Amino acid sequence: MAGPASLIGLDWGTTSLRAYRIANDGSVQERREGPLGILAITDGDFAGALARTIGDWLRAEPGLPVLASGMIGSRQGWHEAPYAPCPAGAADLSDRLVTVDGPDESVYLAPGLSTREPGTGVPDVMRGEETQILGALEALPDADLFVLPGTHSKWATVEGGRITDFRTWMTGEVFDVLRRHSILGRLMEGDGQDEEAFLDGVDRGAAEAAGVLHAIFAARTFGLMGDLPGTALAPYLSGVLIGAEIAGARAWSGGRKPVVIASGRLTDAYLQAMARLGMAGEAAAPDAVVRGLFGLARAAGLLERDHG
Amino acid sequence: MAGPASLIGLDWGTTSLRAYRIANDGSVQERREGPLGILAITDGDFAGALARTIGDWLRAEPGLPVLASGMIGSRQGWHEAPYAPCPAGAADLSDRLVTVDGPDESVYLAPGLSTREPGTGVPDVMRGEETQILGALEALPDADLFVLPGTHSKWATVEGGRITDFRTWMTGEVFDVLRRHSILGRLMEGDGQDEEAFLDGVDRGAAEAAGVLHAIFAARTFGLMGDLPGTALAPYLSGVLIGAEIAGARAWSGGRKPVVIASGRLTDAYLQAMARLGMAGEAAAPDAVVRGLFGLARAAGLLERDHG
């Protein structure tokens, strides 16, 4: 544990808890990660889970502010931090922090973000991604479109330091349930990659006028007919779904250049898919969530109050 | 058991076996239905399953031809009856019947149908639906587009008594896996209908330029935000998927008037959804599969040979 910290930042989601000891220049001094996502904490003892994960950090530096973002602030989490409406930047979010009693001291929970589609009023929501977007924006202040691929992919537009609007695509979860629970999984073999099958899928998912509910069926018929080996079927299906997402998101976001915030492997897949569809994208720097949490703490006056 | 029969027809699918004693005018003399679909017959004893279901019919009229269509002719069924390529009518299918040894005598298995998308060569397949389409066509000889909604919805074009092409949409299975295995099911309550929510979903599924992977997420956010009660979320999701299917199928089939072949409730839902989208459709008469099996048996000379 090198030197005094200025903030403990928590990226606390559905399946995992990532904790960061953050120095007063925003750099990471120490990090921990465990499977203590909110779904794993069935007794509601979030303070206990936090004490088990970083109790030594808290005891070593009493009074250090603790700020968490992600599903921990949802109705199924520690306490609900109601959604902030778009447009919203760090100042808007920091106005809406919710405080809960931690193991030793208070823990601040960041709100999620909500939007409604103009005209139809259809709502959309995110929790945790807003913090990553604002963090990634610090390193790329001119970026105006961010993509967070995954279980529920989010595409968000940004102007003047605030998230102006966003949409969700259920790409990752649809892939997962189709693979594990539908007939499409029956002919699939292995967990390998197959770049050619993936990119063929991207083409098809983006171009198929009959829609994705039709396009995905080829992940069965290619196998039945022997056109693709079993090992190529999962990459192909993944491509179809990601291609459909990118085409839909391009229709929504209208020609902006997307910045991808994800793990290295997922970032590569999305950048490859975008390139295949003639769309230039770039990768965000790592640890966007750390920069986002630090910026949020600064906007909320937590850094000054405790260590100013 | 009234009068001598001319054919025993079997509609033998994944989850059920439907058997029909058919008179020489094509009418149904007797029918039986059981849960002996091919997935339920794990020991491969299809002859035994048939004997348990209609052994008395077979013993009462030895020599009566038995003709089966559906997944029973797939690789996972009794014996593979290879796909016939489009275009195909009753004569083309009857040329490709496959014979297996039944409990007392031979059983004829109808082939499925295959097609490939022009340009891309992407394959599509059906098994059983081709028999229903040809049966429905007998009552509506001028129809040129048939829809068989369900787990895997099929849309097929017809010209000159032959099925010229078709496409599959995985609408029913996607609904099922999303409801049972994805986060969308969490807020859903009950199995009731909600016509308004269903038709709102149809509008959205058909119109959403961002695509169906985005549109389905509203089945969660409407619940989170309290815009829709839990009982409306499943009908809404069903509407989104059916709306997306119909819009995609309309793009593919180009303005033909669809004939819907399904149970009463599913037929009503599709006709309602089509009407909402400004598309005129009509319902096929019941027992299309019986007329299809009878026509196939006639084309194969089975009726003449045994009872001519």
Side-chain angles (χ1 to χ4, degrees):
Chain A
M1 220 187 271
S6 66
L7 175 71
I8 292 175
L10 305 175
D11 175 11
W12 202 337
T14 304
T15 56
S16 69
L17 164 58
R18 295 185 183 87
Y20 305 90
R21 272 185 80 241
I22 306 173
N24 62 13
D25 63 354
S27 65
V28 176
Q29 293 176 314
E30 197 176 348
R31 63 181 72 212
R32 289 194 189 149
E33 179 174 350
L36 290 174
I38 66 166
L39 291 183
I41 301 168
T42 51
D43 61 356
D45 185 12
F46 296 97
L50 193 58
R52 288 199 299 282
T53 306
I54 55 160
D56 55 333
W57 292 3
L58 299 172
R59 283 187 299 275
E61 293 182 271
L64 199 60
V66 181
L67 172 61
S69 73
M71 289 299 283
I72 189 67
S74 71
R75 222 171 294 169
Q76 292 76 43
W78 199 335
H79 193 284
E80 186 173 12
Y83 297 108
C86 279
D92 308 283
L93 295 174
S94 67
D95 279 351
R96 290 166 177 264
L97 300 185
V98 164
T99 311
V100 291
D101 289 334
D104 298 294
E105 59 204 300
S106 294
V107 171
Y108 297 91
L109 304 180
L113 211 58
S114 66
T115 186
R116 284 190 183 266
E117 187 179 280
T120 66
V122 174
D124 212 327
V125 294
M126 60 168 60
R127 273 203 190 271
E129 293 91 348
E130 71 295 325
T131 306
Q132 297 182 61
I133 292 166
L134 295 175
L137 187 64
E138 293 204 4
L140 292 166
D142 294 330
D144 59 3
L145 178 62
F146 291 86
V147 188
L148 299 101
T151 304
H152 296 169
S153 290
K154 310 283 183 183
W155 290 64
T157 53
V158 171
E159 275 170 43
R162 300 168 91 196
I163 299 168
T164 50
D165 202 1
F166 64 90
R167 295 288 181 276
T168 302
W169 281 259
M170 291 186 65
T171 311
E173 185 167 13
V174 169
F175 174 78
D176 190 57
V177 297
L178 288 176
R179 174 167 196 166
R180 291 198 293 142
H181 300 291
S182 87
I183 199 169
L184 297 184
R186 300 245 188 104
L187 300 174
M188 292 179 180
E189 292 168 20
D191 280 308
Q193 304 208 32
D194 184 322
E195 189 177 312
E196 190 183 338
F198 173 72
L199 291 175
D200 282 349
V202 168
D203 284 339
R204 184 159 175 77
E208 178 52 66
V212 76
L213 295 175
H214 167 60
I216 56 177
F217 195 57
R220 175 165 176 78
T221 57
F222 274 139
L224 280 178
M225 293 303 194
D227 291 10
L228 284 180
T231 52
L233 297 176
Y236 180 82
L237 176 63
S238 170
V240 169
L241 296 173
I242 290 174
E245 174 192 330
I246 293 173
R250 177 153 59 177
W252 171 72
S253 61
R256 298 169 188 234
K257 180 181 171 185
V259 176
V260 181
I261 306 175
S263 68
R265 180 171 162 175
L266 200 53
T267 298
D268 290 346
Y270 268 71
L271 290 177
Q272 258 192 317
M274 288 173 187
R276 176 74 159 220
L277 300 174
M279 198 172 178
E282 68 181 304
D287 286 339
V289 73
V290 174
R291 288 192 303 284
L293 287 162
F294 193 71
L296 208 51
R298 192 174 48 216
L302 301 182
L303 306 183
E304 291 76 5
R305 191 167 68 205
D306 293 290
H307 295 257
Chain B
M1 217 188 272
S6 65
L7 175 71
I8 292 175
L10 305 175
D11 175 11
W12 202 338
T14 305
T15 57
S16 69
L17 164 58
R18 295 185 183 87
Y20 304 90
R21 272 185 79 242
I22 305 173
N24 62 12
D25 63 354
S27 65
V28 176
Q29 293 176 314
E30 197 175 350
R31 64 181 72 214
R32 287 193 191 152
E33 179 173 351
L36 290 175
I38 66 166
L39 291 183
I41 300 168
T42 52
D43 60 358
D45 185 12
F46 296 97
L50 193 58
R52 288 198 300 282
T53 306
I54 54 160
D56 56 332
W57 293 1
L58 299 172
R59 285 187 298 274
E61 293 181 89
L64 200 58
V66 181
L67 172 60
S69 72
M71 290 298 283
I72 190 67
S74 71
R75 224 172 293 167
Q76 292 77 43
W78 198 336
H79 192 284
E80 186 172 12
Y83 296 107
C86 279
D92 308 283
L93 295 174
S94 67
D95 279 349
R96 291 165 175 264
L97 300 186
V98 165
T99 310
V100 290
D101 289 333
D104 298 293
E105 60 205 297
S106 294
V107 172
Y108 297 92
L109 304 180
L113 211 57
S114 67
T115 187
R116 284 190 183 266
E117 187 177 279
T120 66
V122 174
D124 212 326
V125 295
M126 61 168 61
R127 273 201 191 273
E129 293 91 349
E130 71 296 325
T131 306
Q132 296 182 61
I133 292 167
L134 294 175
L137 187 63
E138 293 204 3
L140 291 166
D142 295 329
D144 59 3
L145 178 63
F146 290 86
V147 188
L148 298 99
T151 305
H152 297 170
S153 290
K154 309 285 182 183
W155 290 64
T157 53
V158 171
E159 275 170 42
R162 300 168 90 197
I163 299 169
T164 49
D165 202 1
F166 64 90
R167 295 290 181 274
T168 302
W169 280 259
M170 289 185 65
T171 312
E173 185 167 13
V174 169
F175 174 79
D176 191 56
V177 297
L178 288 176
R179 172 164 198 171
R180 290 198 294 142
H181 300 291
S182 88
I183 199 169
L184 297 184
R186 299 243 189 107
L187 300 174
M188 291 179 181
E189 293 167 20
D191 280 310
Q193 304 207 34
D194 185 322
E195 189 178 312
E196 191 182 336
F198 173 73
L199 291 175
D200 283 350
V202 167
D203 284 339
R204 185 159 174 79
E208 178 53 66
V212 74
L213 295 174
H214 167 58
I216 56 177
F217 195 56
R220 175 164 176 77
T221 56
F222 273 140
L224 280 178
M225 293 303 194
D227 291 10
L228 285 181
T231 52
L233 297 175
Y236 180 81
L237 176 62
S238 170
V240 169
L241 296 173
I242 289 174
E245 174 192 330
I246 293 173
R250 178 153 60 176
W252 171 72
S253 61
R256 298 169 188 234
K257 180 182 172 184
V259 175
V260 181
I261 307 174
S263 68
R265 182 172 161 172
L266 201 52
T267 298
D268 289 347
Y270 269 70
L271 290 178
Q272 258 192 317
M274 289 173 186
R276 177 74 159 218
L277 300 175
M279 197 172 178
E282 68 181 303
D287 286 339
V289 73
V290 175
R291 287 191 304 283
L293 287 163
F294 192 72
L296 208 51
R298 193 174 48 215
L302 300 183
L303 305 184
E304 291 77 4
R305 191 166 68 206
D306 293 289
H307 294 255

